[in-house]
Amino acid sequence: MSNETAECVLKKPGSYFDGLTVSGQHKVIFFIIMMAYFFEQMDNWNFGFIAPAIFQSWGLGQAESNQAMAHIVFWYFIGMTSGGFLGGVISDFIGRRKTFLIAIVLFSSCSVINGLPIDNLALFIAARSLTGFGVFCLMVCSQTYIAEMAPAESRGKWQGLVAAVGFCAVPVIAFLCRIIVPLSPEAWRFIFYFGGIGIKGFVIAFKFLPESPRWLVSRGRIDEAEAIVKNVTGKDIDLSEAAKKVPPRINVGEVLYGMFTRKYLGRTILLFILFAMVTPAGFTFTTWTGKLLATIPVIDQVTGQAVIDAAGKQVMLYDQATMLTIMTIISCGVPAGCLLASFIADKGGRKLPLAATYALAAVAAILFANFSTHFYLVALLGFLFSVFNMAGGFILFSYTAESYPTQMRNTAGGFHNGLARLAVSGFQYVIPVILATFGGTVGLINYDIPAIFTTCAIMFIVPIPFLLLFGQRTGGKSLEDIS
């Protein structure tokens, strides 16, 4: 081999992008995923902001709206569960790129359906559920895609940076809600219509997003994989050694069986505990905070009773506009948390920053529960909770993708994330029970938010000892070395 040829072949066989600097083409790919995240998260978060306006336009009281909220969110997360389970399977079967494109079309079109002036709860729930399927199908697929496309040395950094930019959609949609929703009783419908602009992301991704070389190699399509790596890096890379390391293809049943074999059992159990505890806690805050803030009554300091207006209705501490202002401030913590993840994800082997962010989220949740009637404190503490919750969530995505080999990675990751969303679905019917048992207003104190968010804090704390004792250090290692 000549010196010229030797220089254009990676010294480390089968390393794909590892050891290389991130190229301009890499950044184009990451930008496309950022954009897809942006549209996806508009559709994912919008309901939590506009739920009080929806229930008000439907004429539902507090107890009825609690049940309706639980029902809608339950089916949304059933959709996300299915997207988690099937998204990984689909992307392992047809590829990361095709799955990515299908998911964008699905959640964008179903968001528009949710906004249509059709008084049919079953259609609303069905469209919302399919939105959840598309949202999480894309999330599972894209997280694996980034892990497979980014260099090992900066994998966690790019996971966090892509999410930080994409999740700017959360304060954007919150700000739009703050402006639009108070305009009229039916203005909330336009928030769903905004979700339809995700089709633009589909058009751009269809033209510029390549398939994952690792997936192509796993399918024996080495020439195509090498062409994509060359296009992204500008280097001719021999992936023949990588092809030799790819185990034979296995079906879904074999993947699920493999997750419980001796080699992967410890990782699987730990990830089960992490996802089943912290995901319901995080999404409870995301989905229920706006509704609970909107139901805190003003209490007469003399009588200790709720203040009643001239129309015979309770006067709420936070009107719709004020509640949406608080939620807008809180939502700014979402991209900030993703940005924080980009700085700390590659340190401490993943498990130390995970444990730290979960502990800080628990502290923020407890403080939020006890200062929910103070405008500035509730906004600040909610912001901090969002920061630590999102930072931990995206470090956990990287940690999960690094815990299994290529032929298992997406299906196993989808299974864990699907199980997490199933836990969120089930928890929705626990929330009204917690509110009925431990919530309500007694004298000058409203116990709804303390009851819910103290529970969330406990759910963040429980997995930390297991993570510190049994978690493996995966940050900064090649995916092949970890496997």
Side-chain angles (χ1 to χ4, degrees), residues 29-353:
I29 292 170
F30 294 147
F31 174 77
I32 292 171
I33 301 173
M34 289 175 190
M35 183 173 53
Y37 273 176
F38 189 93
F39 299 134
E40 172 205 48
Q41 291 308 308
M42 285 182 68
D43 294 342
N44 186 33
W45 288 71
N46 54 16
F47 180 74
F49 296 128
I50 62 178
I54 294 174
F55 297 139
Q56 185 176 353
S57 72
W58 289 352
L60 300 182
Q62 185 168 334
E64 292 173 304
S65 64
N66 283 344
Q67 291 298 324
M69 183 86 168
H71 197 48
I72 294 169
V73 176
F74 171 83
W75 284 107
Y76 179 72
F77 280 96
I78 287 294
M80 293 190 87
T81 300
S82 302
F85 285 137
L86 298 179
V89 175
I90 293 168
S91 66
D92 278 344
F93 182 69
I94 68 173
R96 314 316 191 203
R97 179 179 182 273
K98 291 179 181 177
T99 306
F100 190 92
L101 295 173
I102 292 170
I104 292 177
V105 173
L106 184 61
F107 66 69
S108 299
S109 57
C110 287
S111 178
V112 173
I113 293 173
N114 271 132
L116 296 176
I118 302 173
D119 295 327
N120 187 315
L121 182 60
L123 176 62
F124 184 93
I125 291 175
R128 190 66 187 154
S129 182
L130 288 172
T131 299
F133 182 95
V135 162
F136 210 62
C137 186
L138 183 137
M139 179 66 73
V140 169
C141 175
S142 59
Q143 287 299 316
T144 297
Y145 182 80
I146 296 172
E148 293 178 346
M149 295 295 289
E153 297 78 9
S154 59
R155 191 164 53 234
K157 169 187 174 180
W158 283 103
Q159 291 273 21
L161 283 176
V162 168
V165 175
F167 275 72
C168 286
V170 182
V172 168
I173 196 66
F175 181 71
L176 288 173
C177 290
R178 172 64 181 82
I179 295 174
I180 294 172
V181 172
L183 295 178
S184 76
E186 299 294 316
W188 56 267
R189 298 185 187 277
F190 290 95
I191 302 302
F192 282 124
Y193 296 153
F194 278 116
I197 64 176
I199 294 297
K200 292 184 178 180
F202 165 82
V203 173
I204 296 173
F206 183 84
K207 186 174 182 179
F208 296 108
L209 193 73
E211 183 55 84
S212 163
R214 279 184 165 95
W215 182 82
L216 290 169
V217 168
S218 74
R219 293 283 165 163
R221 296 158 61 179
I222 300 174
D223 291 342
E224 293 176 58
E226 290 178 344
I228 289 173
V229 173
K230 181 177 180 179
N231 183 55
V232 173
T233 65
K235 298 180 181 293
D236 289 310
I237 298 176
D238 183 1
L239 295 178
S240 58
E241 288 298 318
K244 295 177 183 178
K245 295 181 180 181
V246 177
R249 279 182 277 171
I250 57 179
N251 59 36
V252 177
E254 290 173 314
V255 172
L256 298 181
Y257 173 78
M259 291 170 63
F260 292 93
T261 57
R262 183 176 180 179
K263 182 175 182 179
Y264 300 109
L265 180 61
R267 308 179 195 183
T268 298
I269 293 174
L270 175 61
L271 289 170
F272 275 1
I273 294 171
L274 289 169
F275 277 110
M277 297 300 291
V278 302
T279 309
F283 273 104
T284 295
F285 184 88
T286 298
T287 308
W288 284 83
T289 297
K291 185 183 187 310
L292 293 176
L293 288 175
T295 58
I296 299 177
V298 174
I299 303 297
D300 188 299
Q301 298 295 313
V302 177
T303 65
Q305 301 297 314
V307 175
I308 306 298
D309 63 17
K313 296 182 179 180
Q314 284 187 347
V315 178
M316 297 303 168
L317 181 63
Y318 303 120
D319 59 22
Q320 187 178 80
T322 305
M323 181 274 292
L324 287 171
T325 298
I326 294 172
M327 293 302 295
T328 301
I329 296 170
I330 290 174
S331 70
C332 292
V334 175
C338 297
L339 186 62
L340 175 63
S342 74
F343 289 113
I344 66 174
D346 294 316
K347 305 181 186 301
R350 297 276 190 257
K351 72 175 186 177
L352 294 182

Side-chain angles (χ1 to χ4, degrees), residues 7-43:
E7 289 175 358
C8 65
V9 177
L10 280 179
K11 295 180 180 180
K12 184 179 180 182
S15 58
Y16 296 92
F17 306 105
D18 298 343
L20 299 175
T21 57
V22 172
S23 67
Q25 189 62 32
H26 255 130
K27 293 176 182 178
V28 170
I29 292 170
F30 294 147
F31 174 77
I32 292 171
I33 301 173
M34 289 175 190
M35 183 173 53
Y37 273 176
F38 189 93
F39 299 134
E40 172 205 48
Q41 291 308 308
M42 285 182 68
D43 294 342

Side-chain angles (χ1 to χ4, degrees), residues 451-472:
I452 294 299
F453 293 108
T454 300
T455 303
C456 291
I458 294 170
M459 294 172 73
F460 271 103
I461 292 170
V462 168
I464 293 176
F466 297 95
L467 178 61
L468 293 176
L469 288 173
F470 303 112
Q472 62 176 157

Side-chain angles (χ1 to χ4, degrees), residues 282-476:
F283 273 104
T284 295
F285 184 88
T286 298
T287 308
W288 284 83
T289 297
K291 185 183 187 310
L292 293 176
L293 288 175
T295 58
I296 299 177
V298 174
I299 303 297
D300 188 299
Q301 298 295 313
V302 177
T303 65
Q305 301 297 314
V307 175
I308 306 298
D309 63 17
K313 296 182 179 180
Q314 284 187 347
V315 178
M316 297 303 168
L317 181 63
Y318 303 120
D319 59 22
Q320 187 178 80
T322 305
M323 181 274 292
L324 287 171
T325 298
I326 294 172
M327 293 302 295
T328 301
I329 296 170
I330 290 174
S331 70
C332 292
V334 175
C338 297
L339 186 62
L340 175 63
S342 74
F343 289 113
I344 66 174
D346 294 316
K347 305 181 186 301
R350 297 276 190 257
K351 72 175 186 177
L352 294 182
L354 265 180
T357 52
Y358 289 160
L360 291 169
V363 172
I366 291 173
L367 293 174
F368 184 92
N370 288 280
F371 293 99
S372 58
T373 58
H374 301 268
F375 176 88
Y376 294 106
L377 281 176
V378 76
L380 173 62
L381 292 169
F383 170 84
L384 291 175
F385 179 91
S386 291
V387 169
F388 300 130
N389 176 46
M390 291 304 297
F394 272 84
I395 297 171
L396 182 57
F397 278 137
S398 297
Y399 187 65
T400 304
E402 293 164 346
S403 295
Y404 299 97
T406 298
Q407 79 276 16
M408 295 174 62
R409 184 171 299 121
N410 227 23
T411 299
F415 184 83
H416 282 296
N417 282 284
L419 178 71
R421 270 59 189 176
L422 187 62
V424 176
S425 298
F427 195 63
Q428 298 311 302
Y429 289 115
V430 176
I431 292 173
V433 175
I434 294 174
L435 290 172
T437 306
F438 302 104
T441 301
V442 179
L444 300 178
I445 303 176
N446 179 276
Y447 289 99
D448 284 353
I449 288 181
I452 294 299
F453 293 108
T454 300
T455 303
C456 291
I458 294 170
M459 294 172 73
F460 271 103
I461 292 170
V462 168
I464 293 176
F466 297 95
L467 178 61
L468 293 176
L469 288 173
F470 303 112
Q472 62 176 157
R473 300 172 69 91
T474 61

